[in-house]
Amino acid sequence: MRKLLMEKVHHVIEEYTSRSQSDYESDKVRRKKTSCQERHAEIVKVDATGKVLRITQESNETQTILYDVHYKYLIKQGDLLYLEEEVENRRAVFYNDKMYEDGEIQIQREEGVEEDESVATEEERVTYRYDRLSAVQYAERWWNSYNPAFKKFENDCTNYISQCLHAGDAPMRGYPTKGKGWWMRNQNWSYSWTVANSLRWYIPNSTIGLRGKLVDDPKELKLGDVICYDFEGDGRFDHTTIVTGNDAGGEPLVNAHTFNSRMRYWKYEDSTAYTPNIKYRFFTIVDDR
């Protein structure tokens, strides 16, 4: 079974690096290659390693396998060469040792929560200067693992971004009220710390501590800034990333959890969650002085 899985992975690698378009290319491969072409970029090399996470025996003949594939894409754009990485979480079904189903596990939308953005008092004010370098260093350190000092979530994207922002000295506030401020403490947390839609509203509306300014052009973003994603375009934001680099055109490259990725082109056009209705919000973090 492991051999069959890796044969499938190697076939995908060939699709990514082929200069010609095949009728059998997956939609994800086609969209990623098209995205690169539109930026005058090219995937020149792909490496991949697989890891089986769990094998479930459904019956005497049927097995379900959950496994990860860690892809490394060497991308050339003009004179720039950079390495993009991502981890696909996949599920395969075998019947009598033959593969009958294999696909990437879809991103699950977060459940809605009630939010109560309480007005902060002057006593809560904390002066800080956002340390962008430390935020990016943290994003690089933990992009494909989980800091044991924090709780891990199945949908971990916003929790990871909050940790990055906090590593950049953004101060927590609002404990212990879940609908107030931005914090994680004593195995508890605010909605804004862990829920993408809550953080999307918190950053531009906060008046002290962590706060940011909405900008129209992603090229205005700096390292350590934040992009929020509404995949369905229905007004509820599902995903959050942090800017960790720029491509040759000055556009952001981002790190994220769920699913883990680094130096990924910000538009997410190759994501299984992508839809033509996708909407973005770009926030540059501002100092609180």
Side-chain angles (χ1 to χ4, degrees):
M1 288 183 291
R2 287 176 171 83
K3 182 180 178 181
L4 288 174
L5 291 174
M6 288 314 298
E7 286 177 355
K8 177 74 175 291
V9 170
H10 288 142
H11 176 70
V12 173
I13 289 174
E14 292 174 358
E15 290 183 344
Y16 275 123
T17 53
S18 172
R19 292 180 179 272
S20 60
Q21 184 172 315
S22 167
D23 292 337
Y24 299 101
E25 275 183 353
S26 71
D27 185 50
K28 178 175 180 177
V29 170
R30 186 176 298 109
R31 284 189 279 118
K32 191 175 192 73
K33 290 170 70 172
T34 299
S35 175
C36 284
Q37 290 167 3
E38 289 175 350
R39 297 187 292 133
H40 305 288
E42 178 186 2
I43 302 172
V44 294
K45 184 178 179 181
V46 181
D47 286 328
T49 55
K51 180 181 179 181
V52 173
L53 304 178
R54 187 168 72 243
I55 300 177
T56 303
Q57 193 75 39
E58 306 291 352
S59 67
N60 290 337
E61 300 87 8
T62 306
Q63 289 179 315
T64 298
I65 298 180
L66 299 182
Y67 69 106
D68 284 348
V69 182
H70 181 175
Y71 286 100
K72 296 180 180 180
Y73 310 95
L74 183 63
I75 297 178
K76 186 176 189 303
Q77 187 186 28
D79 295 328
L80 176 68
L81 274 174
Y82 69 91
L83 188 68
E84 175 186 335
E85 298 182 69
E86 71 167 325
V87 176
E88 280 188 358
N89 307 136
R90 301 187 67 86
R91 175 181 178 272
V93 178
F94 286 80
Y95 181 78
N96 285 336
D97 295 329
K98 293 183 179 180
M99 186 188 299
Y100 279 84
E101 181 181 328
D102 179 54
E104 189 174 357
I105 298 171
Q106 300 295 310
I107 294 176
Q108 299 298 313
R109 300 197 76 182
E110 295 167 325
E111 295 182 1
V113 294
E114 293 297 323
E115 299 165 41
D116 175 21
E117 284 302 334
S118 301
V119 177
T121 63
E122 279 297 318
E123 287 74 21
E124 290 179 301
R125 181 169 294 281
V126 178
T127 299
Y128 86 100
R129 183 178 180 86
Y130 185 44
D131 186 341
R132 296 178 179 277
L133 177 59
S134 293
V136 170
Q137 288 175 333
Y138 187 97
E140 289 286 88
R141 167 65 181 84
W142 296 104
W143 81 267
N144 194 29
S145 57
Y146 301 86
N147 187 340
F150 294 89
K151 180 178 173 61
K152 174 186 173 183
F153 296 84
E154 182 177 354
N155 194 328
D156 199 65
C157 68
T158 305
N159 177 41
Y160 164 69
I161 299 305
S162 288
Q163 291 175 38
C164 296
L165 294 168
H166 186 54
D169 289 337
M172 298 184 194
R173 70 168 183 87
Y175 174 83
T177 306
K178 292 182 74 67
K180 179 180 178 182
W182 173 78
W183 55 270
M184 175 174 277
R185 182 176 170 186
N186 297 335
Q187 293 299 302
N188 205 350
W189 51 88
S190 65
Y191 299 135
S192 57
W193 185 278
T194 60
V195 179
N197 196 56
S198 296
L199 184 62
R200 174 263 176 273
W201 287 107
Y202 180 78
I203 289 176
N205 292 306
S206 173
T207 57
I208 64 172
L210 172 65
R211 58 195 181 94
K213 181 177 67 173
L214 180 68
V215 297
D216 294 327
D217 188 344
K219 291 184 179 180
E220 295 182 53
L221 297 178
K222 296 174 282 189
L223 297 182
D225 283 338
V226 171
I227 302 177
C228 299
Y229 299 73
D230 173 6
F231 289 118
E232 299 291 338
D234 59 3
R236 182 165 190 85
F237 283 72
D238 315 282
H239 189 53
T240 319
T241 67
I242 184 169
V243 178
T244 53
N246 295 97
D247 71 2
E251 297 197 58
L253 302 173
V254 298
N255 284 26
H257 277 189
T258 319
F259 296 109
N260 300 352
S261 55
R262 68 173 296 272
M263 299 293 280
R264 184 173 188 167
Y265 182 56
W266 68 271
K267 282 190 176 180
Y268 263 65
E269 292 163 319
D270 59 330
S271 170
T272 55
Y274 178 87
T275 76
N277 298 320
I278 193 170
K279 294 179 181 177
Y280 310 92
R281 292 294 182 272
F282 311 109
F283 294 109
T284 185
I285 305 302
V286 299
D287 297 330
D288 192 1
R289 302 184 182 186

